[in-house]
Amino acid sequence: MKELYDLADLNPAEIEELLQLAKRLQDSPEPQALAGKVLAMLFMSPSLRTLASFQAAMTRLGGGSFVISPGMSIHGIETRPGIVMDGQAAEHIREAVPVIASYADAIGIRAFAERHNLKNDLADKEFNEMRALCKIPLINMESAINHPCQSLADWKTMDEIGIPRQGGKFVLSWAYHPRMLPLAVPAATVHMAAARGMDVTVARPAGFELPDEIMQRAQSAANASGGTLTETDDRAAALENAHIIYAKSWSSTRHYADRVADEELRSDLDDWRVDNSWFDTTQDDCRFMHCLPVRRGVVVADEVLDGPRSIVIQEAQNRMFAQMAVLHKMMLG
Ligand code: CP
């Protein structure tokens, strides 16, 4: 495996192999497997789980890792192509990425969407510019429009608790949040659930429709897996018989990059906060998923997050096991 940019780049057998390897490494640790190997991580955007779980994954496999981020005492990094660097930044990404990569066997990069231009973000423009600079294996640690490591961990988590692939109903629901958030997790999640063969419903208020590019990609995955895909603003109907409610907020696509219009649209949508009533018509054992971080009392009520339906900690722990599989496959073949 030379790259993990997008789970959609893997065929079903390759995904299954990673899931089986993750389980094997969870059950039977291999503390020397990656001895002498180094993972470089460039975090242009903040993280808790991704950063910590990759460091833990490398350590558990006997390798090492280092992190570079703008929050550290490094030179400011410029990312814009063709810029005259007469401002604060002393280093350009065009040198920074190859230099960091030259110290490592694989590199992971995180760079959130700029959210200035939907077309650029859907094309993952900034991430792809950095990707083109990588001459060693690359892991997408969340780009403008993708988060494959989260998706692999979420798939593993649903397998572990016996959520059916075929016939399992997966509801990706927009949830209230005071700020505009990126499309990466919803885009990756809707594709993952469709690729898993599930009956996927995207529930969201008007104005928060997922872009056609994201829905068409998920539809193709559903066609190939035998799953289904629908999108609706009828949340009550969407939640009926759900096996999974996966909550996530994202920016208004009607007012993308227009903070004032987006905030006005979402201002009276705080009833899209997940609470126990959302589970009234779901499957009895319906579970609550969220990639984290999550704002308590804003996105989801404590009664759900602290209750037996929540599997958010298991999802987060599975980030480490899923990524151990990715690193093992990438560095050892
Ligand atoms: N879910 C996730 O990627 O978490 P972090 O942003 O903390 O890495």
Side-chain angles (χ1 to χ4, degrees):
M1 179 191 267
K2 292 288 173 226
E3 182 179 70
L4 179 60
Y5 169 67
D6 182 346
L7 209 60
D9 296 334
L10 304 183
N11 64 41
E14 290 169 328
I15 292 173
E16 198 58 51
E17 189 185 351
L18 284 175
L19 293 167
Q20 293 297 328
L21 180 54
K23 180 162 172 33
R24 191 185 95 200
L25 294 170
Q26 182 175 0
D27 295 344
S28 308
E30 294 184 17
Q32 293 302 319
L34 298 187
K37 304 285 187 187
V38 174
L39 173 69
M41 292 184 273
L42 175 59
F43 279 86
M44 301 299 288
S45 309
S47 169
L48 185 155
R49 276 141 294 275
T50 306
L51 192 157
S53 59
F54 265 107
Q55 287 181 315
M58 277 305 287
T59 302
R60 282 175 182 271
L61 291 169
S65 60
F66 66 89
V67 179
I68 300 292
S69 83
M72 302 164 72
S73 54
I74 59 169
H75 310 287
I77 298 181
E78 176 62 65
T79 58
R80 291 169 293 178
I83 194 91
V84 175
M85 289 174 59
D86 56 359
Q88 289 298 314
E91 175 115 34
H92 200 281
I93 199 78
R94 290 187 66 82
E95 286 76 52
V97 165
V99 167
I100 294 166
S102 75
Y103 305 140
D105 299 283
I107 183 168
I109 300 179
R110 165 170 284 201
F112 289 169
E114 292 187 334
R115 274 167 289 151
H116 297 150
N117 179 307
L118 180 57
K119 201 169 156 212
N120 284 349
D121 289 345
L122 288 170
D124 230 352
K125 183 172 176 291
E126 189 187 14
F127 192 90
N128 277 316
E129 284 166 3
M130 290 189 264
R131 185 182 177 195
L133 300 170
C134 293
K135 305 297 180 218
I136 61 171
L138 168 71
I139 300 170
N140 180 349
M141 295 188 174
E142 188 174 342
S143 62
I145 207 64
N146 227 312
H147 199 353
C149 299
Q150 182 68 49
S151 288
L152 193 62
D154 289 342
W155 186 319
K156 179 179 187 299
T157 305
M158 286 191 281
D159 282 358
E160 276 174 357
I161 60 170
I163 300 296
R165 293 188 180 188
Q166 229 68 43
K169 182 170 180 183
F170 186 98
V171 179
L172 170 64
S173 180
W174 188 87
Y176 177 74
H177 191 286
R179 293 171 49 198
M180 303 189 297
L181 294 183
L183 288 163
V185 170
T189 302
V190 70
H191 176 272
M192 176 276 297
R196 195 171 177 268
M198 302 181 79
D199 296 324
V200 183
T201 301
V202 180
R204 79 306 175 263
F208 292 86
E209 296 80 3
L210 288 182
D212 286 347
E213 292 87 337
I214 293 174
M215 291 300 284
Q216 282 167 13
R217 218 171 62 102
Q219 185 62 61
S220 298
N223 293 346
S225 69
T228 62
L229 177 65
T230 56
E231 186 173 20
T232 180
D233 59 6
D234 186 346
R235 191 178 74 217
L239 295 175
E240 285 174 17
N241 299 315
H243 289 85
I244 293 290
I245 298 175
Y246 194 115
K248 188 72 187 80
S249 189
W250 59 84
S251 299
S252 165
T253 43
R254 185 189 297 166
H255 300 299
Y256 200 79
D258 182 343
R259 187 177 57 80
V260 173
D262 181 304
E263 285 180 5
E264 193 178 323
L265 185 62
R266 71 177 60 222
S267 62
D268 62 351
L269 294 173
D270 57 358
D271 65 316
W272 285 73
R273 174 186 303 121
V274 184
D275 61 25
N276 276 343
S277 71
W278 284 41
F279 297 85
D280 285 349
T281 62
T282 63
Q283 299 282 334
D284 288 343
D285 56 354
C286 178
R287 301 303 186 101
F288 173 78
M289 297 180 76
H290 190 286
C291 63
L292 302 181
V294 70
R295 289 183 182 229
R296 285 176 170 262
V298 176
V299 174
V300 54
D302 287 6
E303 64 187 12
V304 175
L305 212 44
D306 295 332
R309 295 187 183 282
S310 175
I311 52 173
V312 298
I313 305 301
Q314 192 174 345
E315 281 180 86
Q317 190 191 28
N318 272 325
R319 291 291 305 278
M320 180 177 71
F321 295 124
Q323 292 156 196
M324 284 167 70
V326 171
L327 293 164
H328 196 285
K329 184 80 187 151
M330 193 167 261
M331 293 188 181
L332 297 180

